[in-house]
Amino acid sequence: MKKALKVVVTAGPTREFIDPVRFLSNPSTGKMGFALARAAAAAGHAVALVAGPVALKTPKGVRRIDVVSARDMLAAVEREVAAGADVLIATAAVADWRPKRRAAQKLKKGEMDGTLALVRNPDILKTVTGVRKIGFAAETRNVLREAVRKCREKDLELIVANDVTEKGCGFGTDTNRATLVRRDGTVTRLPLLTKLALARRILREI
Ligand code: PMT
């Protein structure tokens, strides 16, 4: 029998608030991450799902931790890894930037001058160590080259690259076409699959 692993999955977008009613974010729905969590739990692994704001039901047998911002997500992932996770699978579309200041009250039009100062968010995958790491790469060009670079820079075992401009792929779809890029440089191009089938295929790599 295969060993059950403690798997942490990140899913969905993060929100970076400008004021109480406005934020920076992206179109991630969490479908890819929730499919991975569902497939991992069904395979007998202990799954912690760190989810940004999404409208999906928690898969059976999965422990879910809801977060909002990139910094919240990093803190939650760090807690899970410190508690003894084996594998981190990062499907979340984490905002790379956040507003330098979050206004306590809704900003009036007259209080805004058309510019928004931003600061970099931490890179969760890069920051976290002491766990096997699998990343995703959402690309619109040079898919393979960017995936190889991210795999190396973030010290990943595997990166799942998807071209988010392709029909049926990326944000919000029920299907995805991915290319697996491993640390050793080997590449596997997969056909268009449902996100659940892709999740099961990724888990086979682990
Ligand atoms: O949620 P869905 O609607 O199903 O859409 C699925 C998806 C398009 C979001 C998913 O397939 C996908 O590609 N996820 C990765 C999105 C992304 O942010 O990619 P990236 O190339 O910018 O980041 C590379 C990796 O670093 C990712 O694993 C990301 O989670 C991680 N990252 C990025 C930035 C950051 N500050 N911290 C991170 O950990």
Side-chain angles (χ1 to χ4, degrees):
M1 200 180 128
K2 284 193 198 115
K3 181 178 171 274
L5 300 170
K6 288 187 184 168
V7 179
V8 181
V9 179
T10 68
T14 63
R15 285 183 184 172
E16 313 298 330
F17 276 85
I18 299 165
D19 69 13
V21 300
R22 303 179 179 94
F23 55 79
L24 303 175
S25 194
N26 61 69
S28 173
T29 58
K31 285 182 180 179
M32 190 65 243
F34 277 57
L36 264 157
R38 179 177 158 194
H45 302 300
V47 183
L49 174 60
V50 181
V54 296
L56 296 177
K57 270 174 60 182
T58 310
K60 209 169 140 213
V62 167
R63 186 164 54 86
R64 173 170 173 176
I65 301 119
D66 286 312
V67 297
V68 176
S69 69
R71 288 184 295 172
D72 297 342
M73 188 173 275
L74 173 62
V77 168
E78 283 183 324
R79 270 195 303 275
E80 293 301 321
V81 170
D86 297 299
V87 187
L88 167 63
I89 308 177
T91 77
V94 184
D96 284 314
W97 299 86
R98 67 176 184 275
K100 190 170 180 185
R101 261 182 295 280
R102 175 183 175 156
Q105 305 299 331
K106 181 181 174 185
L107 292 167
K108 301 286 173 204
K109 287 188 193 76
E111 292 174 314
M112 302 172 90
D113 65 0
T115 59
L116 182 63
L118 300 175
V119 291
R120 284 299 290 265
N121 265 333
D123 188 307
I124 298 168
L125 262 185
K126 219 169 172 175
T127 306
V128 171
T129 57
V131 65
R132 293 169 62 188
K133 296 190 287 188
I134 295 180
F136 271 64
E139 304 299 340
T140 58
R141 60 189 158 156
N142 304 324
V143 177
L144 201 55
R145 195 171 73 202
E146 286 303 306
V148 169
R149 179 181 64 76
K150 287 177 184 175
C151 190
R152 199 172 302 135
E153 281 182 8
K154 301 182 191 225
D155 191 23
L156 309 179
E157 181 169 314
L158 173 77
I159 192 156
V160 181
N162 46 187
D163 182 341
V164 294
T165 63
E166 206 182 313
K167 195 163 175 272
C169 297
F171 296 107
T173 55
D174 291 319
T175 54
N176 209 356
R177 188 197 312 277
T179 301
L180 307 183
V181 180
R182 301 177 192 82
R183 195 202 299 272
D184 65 9
T186 56
V187 169
T188 305
R189 289 178 197 277
L190 299 175
L192 190 70
L193 298 170
T194 64
K195 283 185 173 170
L196 188 58
L198 174 59
R200 291 189 182 120
R201 179 64 185 79
I202 293 165
L203 289 170
R204 267 177 34 210
E205 294 280 320
I206 302 167

